[in-house]
Amino acid sequence: MMIRYADDFVCAFQFSKDAERFYRVLPKRLKKFNLDVAEDKTSLMRFSRFHVGRKRHFAFLGF
């Protein structure tokens, strides 16, 4: 799943391996278009609506 607003976006994956690969490849892909990843806004985070002990939400653009 991808949620986008202007030049910001969140990508959600079912499997951690898919997320890790995307995270690793994204900067290389963006470089082809002379774009950079904002390191301070970019991270991998694990969350779940099904596991009580895990985070169930996060802030996107301060909301």
Side-chain angles (χ1 to χ4, degrees), residues 29-60:
R29 174 78 173 159
L30 291 177
K31 275 286 186 212
K32 292 181 180 181
F33 302 98
N34 294 323
L35 298 170
D36 293 314
V37 172
E39 297 290 333
D40 58 324
K41 294 167 56 174
T42 306
S43 66
L44 280 176
M45 60 186 339
R46 190 171 185 173
F47 65 97
S48 175
R49 63 182 170 167
F50 301 111
H51 295 93
V52 180
R54 293 197 186 132
K55 281 184 148 181
R56 296 174 58 130
H57 65 278
F58 59 91
F60 177 49

Side-chain angles (χ1 to χ4, degrees), residues 11 18 44:
C11 292
D18 294 336
L44 280 176

